Amino acid sequence: MANFRELLSQTKNQISEIEPIGAEQRIGQATFLDVRELDEFEQGMIPGSVFIPRGHLESQVESKIVDRATEIVVYCAGGVRSAFATKTLQDLGYTNVISMAGGFGRWKNEGRPWITPAVLNPEQRNRYHRHILLPEVGEDGQQKLLESKVLLLGAGGLGSPAALYLAAAGVGTLGIVDMDVVDASNLQRQILHNMERIGHRKVDSAKSTLTSLNPDVNVVTYDVRFGADNVLDIISGYDVIVDGTDNFPTRYLLNDAALMKNIPVVHGSIFRFEGQVTVFDPYNGPCYRCLLPEPPPPELAPSCAEAGVLGVLPGIIGSLQALETIKILLGLGDPLIGRLLAYDALETSFRTFKVRHDPKCPTCSPGSEIVIFEYDQYCMPHAVLKDGTTETH
């Protein structure tokens, strides 16, 4: 015990300490680092803290706190582990580190702000273990996915793989818009459905599949026509929209509504053996009208129902849409904003094209006015079904 006290005393002589009252004044400026164990962390934390247990500090801190000049306030339960952690960080090259005297116990006893963190339960840690192993995701990223909301337009060829992978990834809320029923001709590519559900509503079939895959996911269904009368209400509250539609009226309507609500849209389209993916991030890049100011004549842009599509193709494009969605939700990598990724299945080739913002765009250029209305009279839908709805891929 004497040796430990001597070691602690030597360590404290080599580091700086701050009282909780001074540390509180650093909230919003410094990075607070919690080095307690998980069971302690789950009981309460200082808002905004980065959590790394002391035993994992050396292996994790460089990925979670990249800048070694960052001001860091380290705390534990009582101020002992944080002192040793501060010395370790100094040895790792962090130049602006300080230990909080008295730890979280004193902070809490003095009535300073703290919260109970949202954490993964043991079953979730097991389910998402491969995500947690990624420093770019980790538990914080997985928790963010569980708190995210994504809307999918269409439970068809593109919506099926996108929904499956987003559900498997743990996106907490998935909204699905589709007013069609499952048909045998869908099953060649629409993998959310099966033979037993022919004739069932697609949104109901999709919900059954997704909740069976991951009970963490709340599936919200919209068995309605997506139109000017409800578009703003439907998309409100979602973080990202995955566009799996197959007609120009819906795409233009979605573009304008997403701009109005400032919601990113992950766009996908397929035709025979070719597919495209891009991201329309309102006012941070071009919009759909920048890419396609006016719809082409129907005879130059036949739908999959008219021209056919290789069944596996929407699986590839829809999976890419799911990937881009997760990148946006977690702030990872470089999403396809201002870039269009084109895939040719026959060549097995990918090509990327720049999509530039149109300074005269009628909806996203400065000073433009967005008006939500129906576009059917301006661009004919590709394939009209017997009940008057338009088919998704």
Side-chain angles (χ1 to χ4, degrees), residues 300-363:
L300 297 182
S303 70
C304 295
E306 298 166 322
V309 62
L310 186 67
V312 72
L313 177 64
I316 297 169
I317 301 302
S319 297
L320 286 170
Q321 288 181 276
L323 177 59
E324 290 299 302
T325 300
I326 291 173
K327 286 164 61 180
I328 294 169
L329 294 173
L330 297 183
L332 296 177
D334 186 14
L336 288 168
I337 300 170
R339 295 181 295 141
L340 186 143
L341 182 67
Y343 173 67
D344 187 320
L346 294 181
E347 294 181 357
T348 315
S349 64
F350 287 94
R351 296 179 183 177
T352 304
F353 302 92
K354 286 188 176 294
V355 181
R356 302 188 184 279
H357 170 66
D358 181 359
K360 297 182 179 180
C361 177
T363 51

Side-chain angles (χ1 to χ4, degrees), residues 164-245:
L164 284 167
Y165 273 112
L166 290 172
V171 173
T173 299
L174 292 178
I176 302 178
V177 185
D178 201 311
M179 63 174 296
D180 198 4
V181 298
V182 179
D183 185 82
S185 66
N186 303 147
L187 303 182
Q188 165 250 18
R189 64 203 178 281
Q190 298 182 14
I191 56 177
L192 275 173
H193 318 295
N194 57 47
M195 287 291 292
E196 294 178 356
R197 298 183 191 154
I198 290 176
H200 293 198
R201 308 305 298 182
K202 279 189 178 179
V203 290
D204 295 335
S205 174
K207 182 172 184 174
S208 177
T209 299
L210 298 174
T211 52
S212 296
L213 174 64
N214 189 350
D216 286 341
V217 179
N218 174 36
V219 180
V220 182
T221 60
Y222 302 89
D223 192 355
V224 296
R225 177 184 179 276
F226 190 73
D229 60 331
N230 60 16
V231 57
L232 295 177
D233 289 335
I234 289 176
I235 71 174
S236 291
Y238 285 96
D239 302 305
V240 181
I241 301 170
V242 177
D243 177 15
T245 60

Side-chain angles (χ1 to χ4, degrees), residues 31 33 57-74 86-98:
T31 295
L33 175 60
L57 186 62
E58 291 87 344
S59 62
Q60 295 184 12
V61 67
E62 293 179 342
S63 63
K64 293 190 175 183
I65 306 178
V66 177
D67 186 358
R68 283 177 166 76
T70 299
E71 182 182 3
I72 304 173
V73 177
V74 186
T86 298
K87 180 61 170 62
T88 297
L89 290 171
Q90 290 179 173
D91 293 341
L92 290 173
Y94 288 86
T95 59
N96 193 6
V97 191
I98 193 167

Side-chain angles (χ1 to χ4, degrees), residues 92-173:
L92 290 173
Y94 288 86
T95 59
N96 193 6
V97 191
I98 193 167
S99 175
M100 189 175 78
F104 183 71
R106 181 173 165 188
W107 175 282
K108 187 176 178 180
N109 290 337
E110 293 179 358
R112 307 194 186 280
W114 64 280
I115 60 173
T116 301
V119 295
L120 305 180
N121 60 43
E123 292 78 13
Q124 289 172 327
R125 289 194 187 97
N126 181 52
R127 174 184 286 272
Y128 307 117
H129 182 61
R130 300 304 190 276
H131 273 179
I132 296 170
L133 289 175
L134 296 170
E136 296 85 354
V137 181
E139 286 210 21
D140 289 344
Q142 187 59 57
Q143 187 63 49
K144 189 171 184 179
L145 288 178
L146 287 165
E147 295 169 357
S148 297
K149 298 181 179 181
V150 174
L151 179 69
L152 297 109
L153 292 191
L158 294 176
S160 288
L164 284 167
Y165 273 112
L166 290 172
V171 173
T173 299

